[in-house]
Amino acid sequence: MIDGSLPRLEFWCDLQCPDCRTALGDVRALRAQYGDALSVELRHFPLEKHKHAYAAAEAAEEAFAQGLGWPFVEALLARVEELDSRGQRLLLEVAREVGVDVEEVDTALIDGRHMLTVDSDQAEGKAIGVTGTPTYVIGGERLDGGQSQDGLRERIVAVIEAAKAS
């Protein structure tokens, strides 16, 4: 199968959302099933109720800029409950643990170099009807996760298989 021959999967995520941690299991399973043929793109949709979600999105963008975005996202979502009480300290700790340059993350949070990316994602998400996280977009179809992931992976697989067949 040729790289990129499958529709791109957008994973709209709030990095302070416990439901997004659950959804990450589906993303991992899809990656295992389709490998590099399935492009998965993290899209930021920090919710107002999560006070550190915006900074987490900025830190993740810095991690992606350093080539360690997915390891950072996975490690952060694994500790999502800590983010509320530890905030930026946790973001820097997770960055250090996965090998991201902590000073650059700290600087990025101060200078706002990734704000435009996060703001753009959030605006696009609102424009296409994203209201909560996790939400997936694949093959032009929006699939809302929220509290129930039941059946979502199967629906994503159905969209992918239909695209493969066409």
Side-chain angles (χ1 to χ4, degrees), residues 39-61:
S39 172
V40 180
E41 181 180 359
L42 181 73
R43 302 298 301 270
H44 300 289
F45 201 78
L47 302 171
E48 288 183 23
K49 68 181 179 178
H50 294 139
K51 66 181 179 180
H52 300 292
Y54 193 93
E58 289 182 288
E61 280 302 308

Side-chain angles (χ1 to χ4, degrees), residues 13-15 17 20-21 24 72-80:
C13 183
D14 171 321
L15 293 172
C17 171
C20 288
R21 176 184 51 208
L24 195 55
F72 177 85
V73 166
E74 294 216 13
L76 183 59
L77 284 172
R79 298 173 66 182
V80 72

Side-chain angles (χ1 to χ4, degrees), residues 82-98:
E82 294 177 59
L83 192 51
D84 191 45
S85 62
R86 299 196 53 220
Q88 189 167 331
R89 288 188 319 254
L90 179 66
L91 298 175
L92 299 176
E93 186 177 307
V94 169
R96 184 176 299 107
E97 289 170 2
V98 299

Side-chain angles (χ1 to χ4, degrees), residues 152-164:
L152 280 182
R153 184 171 11 154
E154 292 78 12
R155 289 173 59 198
I156 293 168
V157 168
V159 171
I160 292 170
E161 293 301 320
K164 281 173 59 177

Side-chain angles (χ1 to χ4, degrees), residues 20-41:
C20 288
R21 176 184 51 208
T22 303
L24 195 55
D26 283 340
V27 171
R28 279 191 208 109
L30 290 163
R31 281 186 162 153
Q33 184 171 352
Y34 294 104
D36 291 339
L38 179 66
S39 172
V40 180
E41 181 180 359

